[in-house]
Amino acid sequence: GIDPVTSLTITNKSVAAIELSMLHFDIGQWYDNVGAHFTLDISGDVTAAQLLDLDMTPLGWMVNDLDDHDVPLSGLADHTLGAGESVTFTWTVSVNPGSEQVGIWLDNMALMGSADVYGGWSTAWGLTGANDGLNDNPDGDGKDNLMEYATGGDPLTADGSAGTMWQAEEDGTNWMYHVHPERKDDDSLTYGVG
């Protein structure tokens, strides 16, 4: 016999909530006489639902032309994974009784979505509507929340500079050096010295 159930569980290990938008996967049956049918369900920390209930296209021997599926998730009442939350996708396959050879292929899976990394960061620090804006400075240290976020600072502790600066002389020229940390999880940030 075959195990007719395959599951994929994904856990959000970031501090930001992720809004799921689409699941992509390819699926197909290898042998023509199998008569395969599948369902796709979603469960976990999102709205549970059956997403698909379809027959599979017979691929024929060695064709490898799988059916592509793009399943929208944004229509679910709750399609957001908070920090630490999980989602499980479950494929259940049924085949014609007496099928001796069953070859079901499932590959090229991709889960798409978007995250508000700054929002996750501000929530993780306990900032609220009164002090969570990009230009707010709850610790009064002269660095607004955007600077604290961008350079790995603590928005609730006055801790001085967003980087390290020093001056050095080399061959009669004075040089000023500025070194600061940069986030690697937010492509919307641009760093520069001006």
Side-chain angles (χ1 to χ4, degrees), residues 4-108:
V5 178
T6 299
S7 294
L8 171 68
T9 299
I10 298 171
T11 302
N12 178 2
K13 300 222 176 202
S14 74
V15 298
I18 300 172
E19 285 207 34
L20 305 177
S21 59
M22 182 161 314
L23 172 69
H24 171 85
F25 66 95
D26 299 341
I27 193 168
Q29 67 186 45
W30 188 266
Y31 299 102
D32 289 338
N33 64 344
V34 173
H37 182 89
F38 78 96
T39 60
L40 171 63
D41 297 286
I42 185 171
S43 60
D45 295 309
V46 295
T47 301
Q50 185 173 80
L51 300 173
L52 294 175
D53 186 350
L54 298 170
D55 290 329
M56 282 188 237
T57 303
L59 302 175
W61 183 253
M62 303 282 282
V63 175
N64 284 335
D65 185 20
L66 306 176
D67 287 332
D68 293 339
H69 293 280
D70 289 314
V71 183
L73 303 173
S74 56
L76 297 171
D78 178 9
H79 59 278
T80 302
L81 286 183
E85 292 185 339
S86 297
V87 61
T88 299
F89 297 95
T90 304
W91 289 262
T92 304
V93 175
S94 61
V95 297
N96 288 335
S99 295
E100 292 181 18
Q101 295 181 333
V102 178
I104 306 297
W105 295 83
L106 178 64
D107 70 353
N108 293 331

Side-chain angles (χ1 to χ4, degrees), residues 163-191:
T164 303
M165 296 187 339
W166 69 92
Q167 184 177 349
E169 187 215 324
E170 182 179 323
D171 297 328
T173 302
N174 287 320
W175 297 94
M176 184 192 77
Y177 293 91
H178 174 82
V179 178
H180 61 272
E182 296 181 3
R183 293 189 77 90
K184 298 298 181 198
D185 60 352
D186 189 341
D187 294 337
S188 70
L189 297 172
T190 303
Y191 295 85

